[in-house]
Amino acid sequence: MSDLTPTVTPSAGSQGNDGRRGRYKIFLGMAAGVGKTYRMLQEGQAEAEAGRDVVIGYLEPHGRLETIAQADGLEIVPRRRVSYRDAIIEEMDLPGILDRAPELCLIDELAHTNAPGVEHHKRYEDIDDVLAVGIDVYSTVNIQHLESLNDQVAELTGIRVRETVPDAVLGSADDVVLIDITPESLIERLQAGKVYPGERVQAALQNFFKIENLSALREVALRQVAEEIEAKRIPADSATGARPREERLLDSAAPQAIGERLLALVKPSPASQRVVRRAWRSAQRLGAELDLLWVSDHDPDELEQEQLDALRRLASVLGAHLLIEHGDDVALVVQRIAEERGTTYVLMGAPKPRSAFRRLSQPALPFRLLGLLPGVDLRIVADRTQRRDVP
């Protein structure tokens, strides 16, 4: 098992009474069972032995005896019981943690969705409250829970992950530790009953825990952490002041000089969410802002309004800007918005097949955009769900 840990300066945001926001460390894995919670508890124990006040805010060991043993001796803030639909659900006690005010709090399962009636919908929002008062936090998450990877993970594994977190949560962490083991080792752990109870092992091996799925997820996790390191390396280098002033000035000026701005064309349909996620990852790699644009020639019906609301929520999670413009000529509206927003890169889904007459009488939208937007790059996002095996 190995780890890869980028360290950056503390993230900005609300702070506690002493002016310090808590430091945030996330243990990231490719799948359940790699040892994220085990490693988090190990490091928590080490901090406690060094004299720090450490508590467990929430622990979900899934019955794994080795993990449970690692929690021995650490204080646990009792869960609170929430009544929901004639059932009692145990959730993390956020007020209890804030009242206890430890130096370090260990909070498992970052992507968890809370029961209705507590302070926040998602656990990552609870964690932000803990950090805001100056408490350090260690937490855990699997790579498939990142929102922008939702489509990619579904394509790789055939399983759609329902609980997601904004990528910005991972980006806000001061430290990201990748808990990395080989797919073969993870499967051995699974078969030995160290991940799931025996009755679930065979089903897991035939579904999510196929060797090809784990290999693909491991590659995604490694790439994600490498991108996080690269994104935070230059600001960290500049903060040291070790390089000549001229080089640091060049670094700070470069984004303004060669800044990119992406515009993704969307429609109120489920397929557009795939375009948005792909566009957001492109924007992250370029360090660019992302705008989403729907050009409408009518008012949305009920079904379209539902899809539009879903796009608006996705845009909010990812930090993109959703624009809705009315017009009969999509290409001309896109040209106007691109010029107003300073767009350098346009992304769109694959256009629908057109009849021979339409192909002859009117150029397709991508060709019109290339003519109307000289100097703007255009990318068509493939719908990989439509791929067919070639005999």
Side-chain angles (χ1 to χ4, degrees):
M1 187 182 297
S2 62
D3 65 278
L4 187 58
T5 312
T7 302
V8 297
T9 54
S11 52
S14 6
Q15 299 177 329
N17 295 332
D18 62 355
R20 183 188 76 87
R21 182 176 171 85
R23 288 188 63 83
Y24 194 10
K25 178 181 285 191
I26 295 176
F27 298 86
L28 176 71
M30 64 178 176
V34 298
K36 303 179 302 300
T37 302
Y38 187 95
R39 175 66 177 275
M40 177 184 73
L41 292 168
Q42 273 190 326
E43 295 204 11
Q45 291 281 10
E47 292 292 317
E49 290 172 7
R52 299 193 71 197
D53 180 18
V54 181
V55 303
I56 296 173
Y58 189 89
L59 177 63
E60 191 58 76
H62 297 285
R64 297 164 192 159
L65 298 180
E66 293 177 347
T67 301
I68 294 170
Q70 285 298 315
D72 188 44
L74 291 177
E75 178 185 343
I76 299 177
V77 176
R79 299 181 185 184
R80 60 174 163 178
R81 296 164 64 83
V82 179
S83 177
Y84 177 63
R85 291 183 177 176
D86 300 323
I88 299 297
I89 301 172
E90 292 189 341
E91 294 286 6
M92 185 180 84
D93 186 1
L94 176 60
I97 292 171
L98 298 179
D99 184 62
R100 172 63 177 75
E103 293 179 76
L104 170 63
C105 188
L106 314 183
I107 302 176
D108 213 0
E109 296 201 342
L110 167 61
H112 174 75
T113 301
N114 293 327
V118 298
E119 290 76 16
H120 299 293
H121 177 57
K122 300 288 290 188
R123 183 163 293 157
Y124 69 81
E125 297 171 306
D126 296 333
I127 289 173
D128 194 62
D129 282 359
V130 177
L131 292 167
V133 298
I135 300 171
D136 295 346
V137 172
Y138 289 174
S139 191
T140 63
V141 73
N142 285 326
I143 191 67
Q144 63 263 32
H145 293 289
L146 289 188
E147 176 59 51
S148 73
L149 293 173
N150 195 258
D151 295 315
Q152 186 176 351
V153 170
E155 290 163 6
L156 291 172
T157 66
I159 298 171
R160 175 71 66 176
V161 175
R162 299 300 175 188
E163 290 192 315
T164 62
V165 298
D167 293 46
V169 171
L170 193 67
S172 71
D174 300 287
D175 304 297
V176 177
V177 179
L178 177 63
I179 308 303
D180 179 43
I181 66 174
T182 65
E184 293 80 6
S185 296
L186 181 54
I187 288 175
E188 287 177 7
R189 287 178 52 80
L190 179 66
Q191 292 173 328
K194 296 181 178 180
V195 180
Y196 295 136
E199 64 272 13
R200 295 180 58 189
V201 170
Q202 198 56 38
L205 287 171
Q206 293 173 354
N207 292 283
F208 194 84
F209 281 77
K210 292 178 181 177
I211 189 75
E212 58 269 26
N213 287 352
L214 296 177
S215 296
L217 288 171
R218 185 189 189 198
E219 181 180 342
V220 170
L222 289 166
R223 186 183 300 117
Q224 181 68 36
V225 173
E227 288 176 2
E228 291 292 332
I229 292 173
E230 181 62 23
K232 293 170 180 174
R233 180 182 60 81
I234 293 177
D237 287 349
S238 299
T240 65
R243 295 179 299 152
R245 180 175 179 273
E246 293 79 6
E247 290 185 22
R248 299 200 304 276
L249 287 174
L250 181 61
D251 277 346
S252 63
Q256 287 76 25
I258 57 172
E260 303 273 7
R261 191 174 191 103
L262 278 68
L263 179 66
L265 308 186
V266 298
K267 295 180 180 180
S269 69
S272 282
Q273 295 193 27
R274 179 183 304 275
V275 174
V276 171
R277 292 187 181 100
R278 295 286 294 277
W280 190 88
R281 292 194 67 78
S282 295
Q284 288 298 104
R285 293 187 180 101
L286 292 170
E289 291 287 318
L290 174 62
D291 298 317
L292 313 176
L293 172 64
W294 177 39
V295 180
S296 171
D297 60 359
H298 63 279
D299 292 329
D301 59 28
E302 184 176 351
L303 182 58
E304 287 179 325
Q305 188 60 54
E306 289 179 5
Q307 293 297 327
L308 198 58
D309 291 342
L311 279 174
R312 187 173 285 110
R313 289 191 296 270
L314 181 58
S316 176
V317 165
L318 294 176
H321 315 279
L322 178 61
L323 312 172
I324 300 174
E325 296 287 334
H326 293 275
D328 295 323
D329 192 320
V330 174
L332 291 179
V333 175
V334 173
Q335 180 190 34
R336 173 173 61 82
I337 296 300
E339 291 173 351
E340 291 176 358
R341 307 287 287 186
T343 299
T344 60
Y345 204 127
V346 173
L347 296 94
M348 60 179 291
K352 292 181 179 179
R354 306 164 77 234
S355 67
F357 175 76
R358 288 199 64 191
R359 289 198 300 269
L360 290 172
S361 62
Q362 183 181 23
L365 179 59
F367 294 105
R368 292 194 65 204
L369 291 177
L370 288 173
L372 291 170
L373 296 171
V376 175
D377 294 331
L378 176 66
R379 178 183 178 188
I380 297 177
V381 178
D383 184 354
R384 292 175 177 162
T385 62
Q386 301 299 316
R387 288 184 299 188
R388 295 290 183 268
D389 293 334
V390 178

